[in-house]
PDB file of all heavy atoms in Angstrom:
ATOM      1  N   ASP A 448     -32.510  -7.096  12.135  1.00 71.00           N
ATOM      2  CA  ASP A 448     -33.895  -6.722  12.090  1.00 71.00           C
ATOM      3  C   ASP A 448     -34.099  -5.511  11.395  1.00 71.00           C
ATOM      4  O   ASP A 448     -35.140  -5.279  10.603  1.00 71.00           O
ATOM      5  CB  ASP A 448     -34.464  -6.609  13.609  1.00 71.00           C
ATOM      6  CG  ASP A 448     -34.450  -7.969  14.280  1.00 71.00           C
ATOM      7  OD1 ASP A 448     -34.500  -9.039  13.493  1.00 71.00           O
ATOM      8  OD2 ASP A 448     -34.585  -7.914  15.496  1.00 71.00           O
ATOM      9  N   ALA A 449     -33.118  -4.510  11.536  1.00 69.00           N
ATOM     10  CA  ALA A 449     -33.270  -3.187  10.838  1.00 69.00           C
ATOM     11  C   ALA A 449     -33.215  -3.331   9.401  1.00 69.00           C
ATOM     12  O   ALA A 449     -34.113  -2.792   8.638  1.00 69.00           O
ATOM     13  CB  ALA A 449     -32.123  -2.293  11.367  1.00 69.00           C
ATOM     14  N   PHE A 450     -32.297  -4.031   8.833  1.00 65.00           N
ATOM     15  CA  PHE A 450     -32.191  -4.247   7.344  1.00 65.00           C
ATOM     16  C   PHE A 450     -33.197  -5.231   6.835  1.00 65.00           C
ATOM     17  O   PHE A 450     -33.466  -5.358   5.625  1.00 65.00           O
ATOM     18  CB  PHE A 450     -30.890  -4.354   6.770  1.00 65.00           C
ATOM     19  CG  PHE A 450     -29.970  -5.444   7.322  1.00 65.00           C
ATOM     20  CD1 PHE A 450     -30.316  -6.729   6.752  1.00 65.00           C
ATOM     21  CD2 PHE A 450     -28.987  -5.219   8.212  1.00 65.00           C
ATOM     22  CE1 PHE A 450     -29.484  -7.815   7.229  1.00 65.00           C
ATOM     23  CE2 PHE A 450     -28.223  -6.336   8.606  1.00 65.00           C
ATOM     24  CZ  PHE A 450     -28.369  -7.578   8.076  1.00 65.00           C
ATOM     25  N   ALA A 451     -33.745  -6.050   7.758  1.00 68.00           N
ATOM     26  CA  ALA A 451     -34.872  -6.947   7.241  1.00 68.00           C
ATOM     27  C   ALA A 451     -36.066  -6.200   7.042  1.00 68.00           C
ATOM     28  O   ALA A 451     -36.937  -6.492   6.179  1.00 68.00           O
ATOM     29  CB  ALA A 451     -35.071  -8.052   8.311  1.00 68.00           C
ATOM     30  N   ALA A 452     -36.308  -5.077   7.930  1.00 69.00           N
ATOM     31  CA  ALA A 452     -37.499  -4.279   7.746  1.00 69.00           C
ATOM     32  C   ALA A 452     -37.333  -3.351   6.622  1.00 69.00           C
ATOM     33  O   ALA A 452     -38.269  -3.087   5.938  1.00 69.00           O
ATOM     34  CB  ALA A 452     -37.643  -3.485   9.095  1.00 69.00           C
ATOM     35  N   ILE A 453     -36.010  -2.877   6.407  1.00 75.00           N
ATOM     36  CA  ILE A 453     -35.881  -1.815   5.218  1.00 75.00           C
ATOM     37  C   ILE A 453     -34.632  -2.415   4.495  1.00 75.00           C
ATOM     38  O   ILE A 453     -33.504  -2.026   4.825  1.00 75.00           O
ATOM     39  CB  ILE A 453     -35.611  -0.516   5.770  1.00 75.00           C
ATOM     40  CG1 ILE A 453     -36.858   0.038   6.627  1.00 75.00           C
ATOM     41  CG2 ILE A 453     -35.487   0.499   4.584  1.00 75.00           C
ATOM     42  CD1 ILE A 453     -36.602   1.350   7.101  1.00 75.00           C
ATOM     43  N   PRO A 454     -34.769  -3.250   3.570  1.00 79.00           N
ATOM     44  CA  PRO A 454     -33.576  -3.890   2.814  1.00 79.00           C
ATOM     45  C   PRO A 454     -32.739  -2.864   2.164  1.00 79.00           C
ATOM     46  O   PRO A 454     -31.519  -3.170   1.956  1.00 79.00           O
ATOM     47  CB  PRO A 454     -34.300  -4.831   1.860  1.00 79.00           C
ATOM     48  CG  PRO A 454     -35.609  -5.161   2.456  1.00 79.00           C
ATOM     49  CD  PRO A 454     -36.092  -3.930   3.131  1.00 79.00           C
ATOM     50  N   LEU A 455     -33.295  -1.732   1.869  1.00 80.00           N
ATOM     51  CA  LEU A 455     -32.469  -0.622   1.167  1.00 80.00           C
ATOM     52  C   LEU A 455     -31.303  -0.206   1.919  1.00 80.00           C
ATOM     53  O   LEU A 455     -30.414   0.237   1.492  1.00 80.00           O
ATOM     54  CB  LEU A 455     -33.413   0.488   0.836  1.00 80.00           C
ATOM     55  CG  LEU A 455     -32.920   1.584  -0.118  1.00 80.00           C
ATOM     56  CD1 LEU A 455     -32.460   0.962  -1.437  1.00 80.00           C
ATOM     57  CD2 LEU A 455     -33.808   2.735  -0.340  1.00 80.00           C
ATOM     58  N   LEU A 456     -31.424  -0.383   3.289  1.00 81.00           N
ATOM     59  CA  LEU A 456     -30.318   0.007   4.215  1.00 81.00           C
ATOM     60  C   LEU A 456     -28.945  -0.621   3.683  1.00 81.00           C
ATOM     61  O   LEU A 456     -27.952  -0.032   3.795  1.00 81.00           O
ATOM     62  CB  LEU A 456     -30.640  -0.240   5.585  1.00 81.00           C
ATOM     63  CG  LEU A 456     -31.579   0.571   6.389  1.00 81.00           C
ATOM     64  CD1 LEU A 456     -32.000  -0.002   7.747  1.00 81.00           C
ATOM     65  CD2 LEU A 456     -31.061   1.979   6.532  1.00 81.00           C
ATOM     66  N   VAL A 457     -29.104  -1.908   3.301  1.00 82.00           N
ATOM     67  CA  VAL A 457     -27.881  -2.602   2.994  1.00 82.00           C
ATOM     68  C   VAL A 457     -27.114  -2.069   1.778  1.00 82.00           C
ATOM     69  O   VAL A 457     -25.891  -2.122   1.749  1.00 82.00           O
ATOM     70  CB  VAL A 457     -28.238  -4.076   2.706  1.00 82.00           C
ATOM     71  CG1 VAL A 457     -26.992  -4.913   2.448  1.00 82.00           C
ATOM     72  CG2 VAL A 457     -28.942  -4.707   3.873  1.00 82.00           C
ATOM     73  N   ALA A 458     -27.834  -1.461   0.851  1.00 84.00           N
ATOM     74  CA  ALA A 458     -27.284  -0.867  -0.402  1.00 84.00           C
ATOM     75  C   ALA A 458     -26.220   0.182  -0.134  1.00 84.00           C
ATOM     76  O   ALA A 458     -25.282   0.383  -0.908  1.00 84.00           O
ATOM     77  CB  ALA A 458     -28.427  -0.457  -1.261  1.00 84.00           C
ATOM     78  N   PHE A 459     -26.381   0.986   1.154  1.00 87.00           N
ATOM     79  CA  PHE A 459     -25.491   1.967   1.299  1.00 87.00           C
ATOM     80  C   PHE A 459     -24.252   1.686   2.200  1.00 87.00           C
ATOM     81  O   PHE A 459     -23.461   2.604   2.524  1.00 87.00           O
ATOM     82  CB  PHE A 459     -26.302   3.215   1.855  1.00 87.00           C
ATOM     83  CG  PHE A 459     -27.430   3.599   1.029  1.00 87.00           C
ATOM     84  CD1 PHE A 459     -28.823   3.342   1.389  1.00 87.00           C
ATOM     85  CD2 PHE A 459     -27.288   4.207  -0.197  1.00 87.00           C
ATOM     86  CE1 PHE A 459     -29.807   3.688   0.696  1.00 87.00           C
ATOM     87  CE2 PHE A 459     -28.332   4.415  -0.894  1.00 87.00           C
ATOM     88  CZ  PHE A 459     -29.648   4.266  -0.570  1.00 87.00           C
ATOM     89  N   ILE A 460     -24.206   0.410   2.639  1.00 87.00           N
ATOM     90  CA  ILE A 460     -23.139   0.128   3.555  1.00 87.00           C
ATOM     91  C   ILE A 460     -21.778   0.194   3.001  1.00 87.00           C
ATOM     92  O   ILE A 460     -20.887   0.730   3.462  1.00 87.00           O
ATOM     93  CB  ILE A 460     -23.394  -1.272   4.140  1.00 87.00           C
ATOM     94  CG1 ILE A 460     -24.648  -1.428   5.081  1.00 87.00           C
ATOM     95  CG2 ILE A 460     -22.129  -1.929   4.858  1.00 87.00           C
ATOM     96  CD1 ILE A 460     -24.900  -2.727   5.637  1.00 87.00           C
ATOM     97  N   PRO A 461     -21.541  -0.352   1.621  1.00 87.00           N
ATOM     98  CA  PRO A 461     -20.232  -0.277   1.072  1.00 87.00           C
ATOM     99  C   PRO A 461     -19.740   1.225   0.935  1.00 87.00           C
ATOM    100  O   PRO A 461     -18.681   1.518   1.164  1.00 87.00           O
ATOM    101  CB  PRO A 461     -20.397  -1.075  -0.277  1.00 87.00           C
ATOM    102  CG  PRO A 461     -21.526  -1.945  -0.061  1.00 87.00           C
ATOM    103  CD  PRO A 461     -22.363  -1.211   0.931  1.00 87.00           C
ATOM    104  N   MET A 462     -20.700   2.074   0.396  1.00 90.00           N
ATOM    105  CA  MET A 462     -20.419   3.391   0.205  1.00 90.00           C
ATOM    106  C   MET A 462     -19.931   4.151   1.454  1.00 90.00           C
ATOM    107  O   MET A 462     -19.073   4.914   1.496  1.00 90.00           O
ATOM    108  CB  MET A 462     -21.597   4.153  -0.377  1.00 90.00           C
ATOM    109  CG  MET A 462     -21.347   5.673  -0.775  1.00 90.00           C
ATOM    110  SD  MET A 462     -21.914   6.647   0.494  1.00 90.00           S
ATOM    111  CE  MET A 462     -23.675   6.394   0.484  1.00 90.00           C
ATOM    112  N   ILE A 463     -20.711   3.952   2.551  1.00 90.00           N
ATOM    113  CA  ILE A 463     -20.373   4.617   3.883  1.00 90.00           C
ATOM    114  C   ILE A 463     -19.056   4.115   4.453  1.00 90.00           C
ATOM    115  O   ILE A 463     -18.176   4.799   4.957  1.00 90.00           O
ATOM    116  CB  ILE A 463     -21.640   4.280   4.829  1.00 90.00           C
ATOM    117  CG1 ILE A 463     -22.771   5.071   4.469  1.00 90.00           C
ATOM    118  CG2 ILE A 463     -21.061   4.670   6.292  1.00 90.00           C
ATOM    119  CD1 ILE A 463     -24.042   4.655   5.268  1.00 90.00           C
ATOM    120  N   MET A 464     -18.820   2.697   4.395  1.00 88.00           N
ATOM    121  CA  MET A 464     -17.562   2.213   4.890  1.00 88.00           C
ATOM    122  C   MET A 464     -16.326   2.764   3.980  1.00 88.00           C
ATOM    123  O   MET A 464     -15.287   3.066   4.521  1.00 88.00           O
ATOM    124  CB  MET A 464     -17.521   0.748   4.740  1.00 88.00           C
ATOM    125  CG  MET A 464     -18.582   0.143   5.799  1.00 88.00           C
ATOM    126  SD  MET A 464     -18.875  -1.737   5.698  1.00 88.00           S
ATOM    127  CE  MET A 464     -17.138  -2.282   5.859  1.00 88.00           C
ATOM    128  N   ASP A 465     -16.528   2.708   2.666  1.00 87.00           N
ATOM    129  CA  ASP A 465     -15.489   3.110   1.850  1.00 87.00           C
ATOM    130  C   ASP A 465     -15.070   4.640   2.008  1.00 87.00           C
ATOM    131  O   ASP A 465     -13.916   5.015   2.088  1.00 87.00           O
ATOM    132  CB  ASP A 465     -15.695   2.893   0.378  1.00 87.00           C
ATOM    133  CG  ASP A 465     -15.650   1.413   0.012  1.00 87.00           C
ATOM    134  OD1 ASP A 465     -15.256   0.600   0.823  1.00 87.00           O
ATOM    135  OD2 ASP A 465     -16.265   0.999  -1.089  1.00 87.00           O
TER     136      ASP A 465
END
Side-chain angles (χ1 to χ4, degrees):
D448 293 340
F450 56 75
I453 307 178
L455 188 59
L456 285 171
V457 181
F459 304 111
I460 291 177
M462 181 266 293
I463 292 171
M464 291 172 60
D465 287 348

